[in-house]
Amino acid sequence: MRIDIWSDIACPWCYIGLARFEKALAAFPHKDAVEVHYRTFQLDPTLPERDDRSEAQYLSETKGMPANLINQIFETVKEHGIKAGVEFHMDDVVVANSWTAHRLLHLAKQHDQNVTVHQDKITPALKRELLAGRFSTGLDLSDHDQLAQVAISVGLDETRVREVLESDEFDTEANADVEQARAFGVSAVPTYVLAEKYALPGAQSVETFSQALRQVWEELNPAPLQTLGADGQACGIDGCD
Protein backbone atom coordinates (compact mmCIF):
# COMPACT_ATOMS: atom_id res chain seq x y z
CA MET A 1 0.00 0.00 0.00
CA ARG A 2 1.39 3.38 -1.01
CA ILE A 3 1.08 6.46 1.19
CA ASP A 4 2.21 9.91 0.05
CA ILE A 5 2.72 12.60 2.68
CA TRP A 6 2.78 16.20 1.54
CA SER A 7 4.26 18.39 4.24
CA ASP A 8 6.54 21.33 4.89
CA ILE A 9 9.37 21.48 7.40
CA ALA A 10 8.07 24.93 8.32
CA CYS A 11 4.72 23.48 9.48
CA PRO A 12 4.26 22.62 13.18
CA TRP A 13 1.20 20.46 12.50
CA CYS A 14 3.27 18.45 10.03
CA TYR A 15 5.59 17.58 12.92
CA ILE A 16 2.72 16.56 15.19
CA GLY A 17 0.93 14.72 12.39
CA LEU A 18 4.05 12.75 11.49
CA ALA A 19 4.51 11.62 15.09
CA ARG A 20 0.89 10.44 15.25
CA PHE A 21 1.05 8.75 11.85
CA GLU A 22 4.26 6.89 12.70
CA LYS A 23 2.70 5.64 15.93
CA ALA A 24 -0.32 4.31 14.01
CA LEU A 25 1.89 2.76 11.34
CA ALA A 26 4.13 1.06 13.92
CA ALA A 27 1.07 -0.77 15.29
CA PHE A 28 -0.33 -1.67 11.87
CA PRO A 29 -0.09 -5.45 11.24
CA HIS A 30 0.89 -4.96 7.58
CA LYS A 31 3.35 -2.12 8.13
CA ASP A 32 6.13 -3.92 6.25
CA ALA A 33 4.00 -3.80 3.09
CA VAL A 34 3.40 -0.05 3.33
CA GLU A 35 5.50 2.31 1.19
CA VAL A 36 5.66 5.84 2.57
CA HIS A 37 6.72 8.65 0.22
CA TYR A 38 7.59 12.06 1.67
CA ARG A 39 6.61 14.79 -0.77
CA THR A 40 7.65 18.42 -1.06
CA PHE A 41 5.28 21.29 -0.23
CA GLN A 42 6.08 24.88 0.67
CA LEU A 43 3.76 27.10 2.66
CA ASP A 44 5.71 30.22 1.72
CA PRO A 45 8.04 29.81 -1.26
CA THR A 46 8.58 33.59 -1.30
CA LEU A 47 10.61 33.54 1.90
CA PRO A 48 14.25 34.63 1.57
CA GLU A 49 16.91 32.14 2.53
CA ARG A 50 16.95 33.67 6.01
CA ASP A 51 14.56 36.07 7.71
CA ASP A 52 15.76 37.86 10.85
CA ARG A 53 12.29 38.21 12.30
CA SER A 54 11.02 35.88 15.01
CA GLU A 55 8.36 33.34 14.08
CA ALA A 56 5.79 35.47 15.92
CA GLN A 57 6.83 38.62 14.08
CA TYR A 58 6.80 36.79 10.74
CA LEU A 59 3.27 35.49 11.28
CA SER A 60 2.06 38.87 12.51
CA GLU A 61 3.53 40.90 9.66
CA THR A 62 2.98 38.52 6.75
CA LYS A 63 -0.25 36.78 7.74
CA GLY A 64 -1.86 39.66 9.62
CA MET A 65 -2.39 37.54 12.73
CA PRO A 66 -2.84 39.36 16.07
CA ALA A 67 -0.36 38.64 18.83
CA ASN A 68 -2.91 36.99 21.13
CA LEU A 69 -3.91 34.54 18.39
CA ILE A 70 -0.27 33.69 17.64
CA ASN A 71 0.38 33.02 21.32
CA GLN A 72 -2.71 30.83 21.45
CA ILE A 73 -1.55 28.84 18.43
CA PHE A 74 1.91 28.38 19.92
CA GLU A 75 0.43 27.08 23.17
CA THR A 76 -1.91 24.77 21.28
CA VAL A 77 0.82 23.16 19.21
CA LYS A 78 3.00 22.86 22.31
CA GLU A 79 0.23 21.03 24.20
CA HIS A 80 -0.52 18.71 21.28
CA GLY A 81 3.20 18.18 20.80
CA ILE A 82 3.65 17.00 24.37
CA LYS A 83 0.87 14.44 23.88
CA ALA A 84 2.44 13.29 20.61
CA GLY A 85 5.90 13.03 22.17
CA VAL A 86 7.54 15.96 20.39
CA GLU A 87 8.83 19.26 21.78
CA PHE A 88 8.19 22.79 20.58
CA HIS A 89 10.33 25.81 21.45
CA MET A 90 8.69 28.41 19.26
CA ASP A 91 10.85 31.27 20.57
CA ASP A 92 13.90 29.49 19.13
CA VAL A 93 12.45 28.92 15.65
CA VAL A 94 14.60 30.38 12.87
CA VAL A 95 12.52 31.77 10.01
CA ALA A 96 14.12 30.49 6.81
CA ASN A 97 13.21 29.07 3.43
CA SER A 98 12.73 25.29 3.55
CA TRP A 99 13.52 24.51 -0.12
CA THR A 100 17.13 23.41 0.37
CA ALA A 101 16.09 21.05 3.15
CA HIS A 102 13.45 19.57 0.85
CA ARG A 103 16.14 18.94 -1.75
CA LEU A 104 18.15 17.05 0.85
CA LEU A 105 15.12 14.86 1.47
CA HIS A 106 15.15 13.97 -2.21
CA LEU A 107 18.81 12.99 -1.86
CA ALA A 108 17.76 10.71 0.99
CA LYS A 109 15.01 9.22 -1.20
CA GLN A 110 17.57 8.53 -3.92
CA HIS A 111 19.78 6.79 -1.35
CA ASP A 112 16.86 4.67 -0.10
CA GLN A 113 16.11 3.38 -3.58
CA ASN A 114 19.38 1.46 -3.44
CA VAL A 115 19.16 -0.05 0.05
CA THR A 116 18.30 -3.69 0.66
CA VAL A 117 15.08 -4.83 2.26
CA HIS A 118 16.85 -5.39 5.60
CA GLN A 119 18.45 -1.94 5.76
CA ASP A 120 16.81 0.99 7.46
CA LYS A 121 15.76 3.82 5.19
CA ILE A 122 17.19 7.26 5.81
CA THR A 123 14.35 9.48 4.56
CA PRO A 124 12.03 9.04 7.58
CA ALA A 125 14.89 9.75 9.98
CA LEU A 126 15.98 12.85 8.07
CA LYS A 127 12.40 14.13 7.95
CA ARG A 128 12.06 13.73 11.71
CA GLU A 129 15.42 15.35 12.42
CA LEU A 130 14.68 18.36 10.21
CA LEU A 131 11.32 18.94 11.88
CA ALA A 132 12.78 18.40 15.35
CA GLY A 133 15.64 20.73 14.54
CA ARG A 134 13.43 23.55 13.35
CA PHE A 135 10.89 23.37 16.15
CA SER A 136 12.93 22.06 19.07
CA THR A 137 16.57 23.12 18.74
CA GLY A 138 16.63 26.24 16.57
CA LEU A 139 17.96 24.65 13.37
CA ASP A 140 18.64 27.28 10.72
CA LEU A 141 17.44 25.82 7.41
CA SER A 142 19.52 28.38 5.52
CA ASP A 143 22.78 27.30 7.17
CA HIS A 144 24.44 24.69 4.98
CA ASP A 145 26.77 23.51 7.72
CA GLN A 146 23.87 22.88 10.08
CA LEU A 147 21.91 21.07 7.38
CA ALA A 148 24.95 18.98 6.51
CA GLN A 149 25.40 17.93 10.12
CA VAL A 150 21.79 16.75 10.29
CA ALA A 151 22.00 14.88 6.97
CA ILE A 152 25.29 13.20 7.87
CA SER A 153 23.97 12.20 11.31
CA VAL A 154 21.29 10.00 9.71
CA GLY A 155 23.75 8.30 7.37
CA LEU A 156 24.04 10.36 4.18
CA ASP A 157 27.45 10.71 2.56
CA GLU A 158 29.04 14.06 3.36
CA THR A 159 30.43 14.60 -0.13
CA ARG A 160 27.03 14.05 -1.74
CA VAL A 161 25.36 16.24 0.86
CA ARG A 162 27.75 19.11 0.15
CA GLU A 163 27.26 18.68 -3.59
CA VAL A 164 23.50 19.02 -3.22
CA LEU A 165 23.74 21.95 -0.85
CA GLU A 166 25.98 23.91 -3.21
CA SER A 167 23.87 23.26 -6.30
CA ASP A 168 20.27 23.18 -7.50
CA GLU A 169 20.22 19.38 -7.65
CA PHE A 170 16.78 17.85 -7.04
CA ASP A 171 14.99 21.09 -7.92
CA THR A 172 13.17 19.18 -10.66
CA GLU A 173 12.03 16.42 -8.30
CA ALA A 174 10.88 18.84 -5.62
CA ASN A 175 8.98 20.94 -8.17
CA ALA A 176 7.32 17.77 -9.48
CA ASP A 177 5.99 17.11 -5.97
CA VAL A 178 4.58 20.63 -5.80
CA GLU A 179 2.90 20.19 -9.17
CA GLN A 180 1.45 16.83 -8.16
CA ALA A 181 0.04 18.38 -5.00
CA ARG A 182 -1.63 21.04 -7.13
CA ALA A 183 -3.06 18.36 -9.44
CA PHE A 184 -4.49 16.49 -6.45
CA GLY A 185 -5.95 19.69 -5.05
CA VAL A 186 -3.68 19.71 -2.01
CA SER A 187 -3.59 23.26 -0.67
CA ALA A 188 -2.76 22.71 3.01
CA VAL A 189 -0.41 20.43 4.89
CA PRO A 190 0.01 17.90 6.19
CA THR A 191 -2.01 15.90 3.69
CA TYR A 192 -1.80 12.12 3.58
CA VAL A 193 -2.83 10.41 0.35
CA LEU A 194 -3.49 6.68 0.66
CA ALA A 195 -3.27 4.44 -2.41
CA GLU A 196 -3.31 7.58 -4.59
CA LYS A 197 -7.05 7.63 -3.98
CA TYR A 198 -7.97 8.76 -0.47
CA ALA A 199 -6.85 11.98 1.23
CA LEU A 200 -6.48 12.55 4.96
CA PRO A 201 -5.99 16.28 5.51
CA GLY A 202 -4.39 17.64 8.65
CA ALA A 203 -2.72 16.16 11.72
CA GLN A 204 -5.25 13.41 12.37
CA SER A 205 -5.42 11.43 15.59
CA VAL A 206 -3.60 8.12 15.96
CA GLU A 207 -6.99 6.40 15.98
CA THR A 208 -8.06 8.03 12.71
CA PHE A 209 -4.79 7.10 11.04
CA SER A 210 -5.15 3.51 12.26
CA GLN A 211 -8.70 3.27 10.99
CA ALA A 212 -7.72 4.67 7.59
CA LEU A 213 -4.84 2.22 7.26
CA ARG A 214 -7.14 -0.72 8.01
CA GLN A 215 -9.90 0.49 5.72
CA VAL A 216 -7.71 1.11 2.68
CA TRP A 217 -5.71 -2.09 3.24
CA GLU A 218 -8.91 -4.17 3.34
CA GLU A 219 -10.11 -2.54 0.12
CA LEU A 220 -6.84 -3.28 -1.63
CA ASN A 221 -6.49 -6.75 -0.12
CA PRO A 222 -9.98 -8.23 0.31
CA ALA A 223 -10.24 -11.25 2.57
CA PRO A 224 -10.98 -14.62 0.88
CA LEU A 225 -14.56 -15.85 0.97
CA GLN A 226 -15.55 -17.90 3.99
CA THR A 227 -17.17 -21.26 3.32
CA LEU A 228 -20.54 -21.91 4.94
CA GLY A 229 -21.62 -25.51 5.47
CA ALA A 230 -20.07 -28.72 4.16
CA ASP A 231 -18.81 -29.05 0.59
CA GLY A 232 -21.53 -30.07 -1.88
CA GLN A 233 -21.19 -31.72 -5.26
CA ALA A 234 -19.62 -29.47 -7.84
CA CYS A 235 -17.71 -29.31 -11.12
CA GLY A 236 -14.20 -27.94 -11.35
CA ILE A 237 -11.56 -27.47 -14.02
CA ASP A 238 -10.50 -31.12 -13.59
CA GLY A 239 -13.99 -32.58 -13.83
CA CYS A 240 -17.11 -33.13 -11.73
CA ASP A 241 -17.75 -34.92 -8.48
Side-chain angles (χ1 to χ4, degrees):
M1 180 168 67
R2 178 186 177 110
I3 298 177
D4 293 272
I5 305 175
W6 270 273
S7 63
D8 191 3
I9 302 156
C11 166
W13 289 109
C14 292
Y15 191 20
I16 293 170
L18 184 61
R20 293 172 178 172
F21 169 77
E22 289 186 335
K23 184 175 182 179
L25 182 61
F28 185 55
H30 310 288
K31 61 185 177 183
D32 291 338
V34 176
E35 292 184 2
V36 180
H37 297 263
Y38 301 87
R39 310 294 291 271
T40 299
F41 191 97
Q42 276 201 301
L43 292 169
D44 187 359
T46 67
L47 261 178
E49 282 296 303
R50 175 75 153 77
D51 192 314
D52 291 331
R53 290 174 292 184
S54 68
E55 181 77 351
Q57 289 174 319
Y58 163 74
L59 292 173
S60 174
E61 295 173 11
T62 62
K63 309 298 182 183
M65 299 168 63
N68 61 331
L69 177 58
I70 294 171
N71 291 333
Q72 181 181 340
I73 292 173
F74 285 1
E75 286 302 313
T76 298
V77 297
K78 182 178 179 179
E79 292 171 7
H80 282 275
I82 291 172
K83 294 176 182 178
V86 296
E87 293 185 10
F88 283 90
H89 299 284
M90 299 304 293
D91 291 339
D92 296 330
V93 169
V94 176
V95 180
N97 194 294
S98 61
W99 190 254
T100 301
H102 280 295
R103 291 193 299 106
L104 278 181
L105 284 165
H106 281 277
L107 172 63
K109 289 168 68 174
Q110 183 186 72
H111 169 277
D112 289 344
Q113 291 171 357
N114 300 316
V115 302
T116 66
V117 175
H118 302 291
Q119 290 178 298
D120 291 333
K121 294 189 174 182
I122 285 176
T123 309
L126 180 58
K127 185 71 172 184
R128 286 191 297 269
E129 289 301 316
L130 289 171
L131 286 164
R134 186 176 193 276
F135 291 109
S136 301
T137 61
L139 173 67
D140 183 351
L141 298 178
S142 71
D143 188 311
H144 287 189
D145 287 333
Q146 291 185 34
L147 286 176
Q149 289 174 12
V150 173
I152 295 165
S153 74
V154 300
L156 284 173
D157 177 72
E158 181 174 2
T159 299
R160 283 293 290 128
V161 168
R162 296 288 183 182
E163 288 174 353
V164 172
L165 289 173
E166 301 302 328
S167 69
D168 60 0
E169 190 174 355
F170 296 112
D171 266 358
T172 299
E173 291 82 353
N175 277 311
D177 281 353
V178 173
E179 290 300 318
Q180 184 64 68
R182 186 176 293 113
F184 276 157
V186 174
S187 59
V189 288
T191 293
Y192 302 77
V193 178
L194 285 68
E196 299 180 288
K197 184 177 180 181
Y198 299 102
L200 271 178
Q204 300 287 339
S205 66
V206 175
E207 294 74 20
T208 298
F209 279 128
S210 297
Q211 181 181 354
L213 289 169
R214 289 193 302 269
Q215 180 179 332
V216 177
W217 178 268
E218 289 170 3
E219 178 182 315
L220 297 175
N221 304 273
L225 295 174
Q226 297 184 31
T227 301
L228 299 176
D231 290 346
Q233 290 74 25
C235 292
I237 58 174
D238 296 323
C240 297
D241 294 335

